[in-house]
Amino acid sequence: QVQLVESGGGLVQAGGSLRLSCAISGRTFSSYTVGWFRQVPGKERDFVARISWIGGSTYYADSVKGRFTISRDNAKNTVYLQMNSLKPDDTAVYYCAANKLGVAGPQVSLYDYWGQGTQVTVSS
């Protein structure tokens, strides 16, 4: 069906940058919404950003506005998350996810497909 694979995580110092990639395969997207979420062990999975596949409209959590940028390459079926000015509080496993109807909001339950996650660690 649909597979999503995250990559690009790693260890950076506070103030540094990383770019995460989400490669999507198995089915092309038409009206899908793709989002990024993050989770710390023992805590709930939180919304970070999302992008509409066709229109390209974006939405961000307040905690990352002005620092993170979500984008997509339709031809490559890839979504990116450029993370700048990273803070220790950004440390988490980052997941990409897709909603098949393209109407997803920030709720985890609205997304149908999930990647395996990639670790981002920001040291102080």
Side-chain angles (χ1 to χ4, degrees), residues 30-116:
S30 56
S31 60
Y32 282 43
T33 295
V34 179
W36 284 96
F37 296 78
R38 62 189 183 187
Q39 186 172 27
V40 176
K43 300 181 67 176
E44 66 181 8
R45 190 169 296 184
D46 292 327
F47 169 80
V48 175
R50 65 92 171 138
I51 187 168
S52 299
W53 193 252
I54 299 299
S57 63
T58 59
Y59 185 78
Y60 299 89
D62 288 343
S63 60
V64 305
K65 283 183 178 178
R67 301 188 298 119
F68 291 11
T69 302
I70 188 170
S71 62
R72 92 286 194 214
D73 187 328
N74 289 20
K76 296 181 179 179
N77 285 332
T78 301
V79 174
Y80 305 96
L81 185 68
Q82 178 66 48
M83 306 185 295
N84 299 324
S85 302
L86 284 163
K87 306 175 181 179
D89 286 348
D90 296 319
T91 296
V93 176
Y94 283 71
Y95 299 87
C96 63
N99 169 267
K100 61 185 178 182
L101 298 179
V103 295
Q107 295 180 329
V108 168
S109 62
L110 295 176
Y111 288 79
D112 305 293
Y113 309 102
W114 292 85
Q116 83 290 346

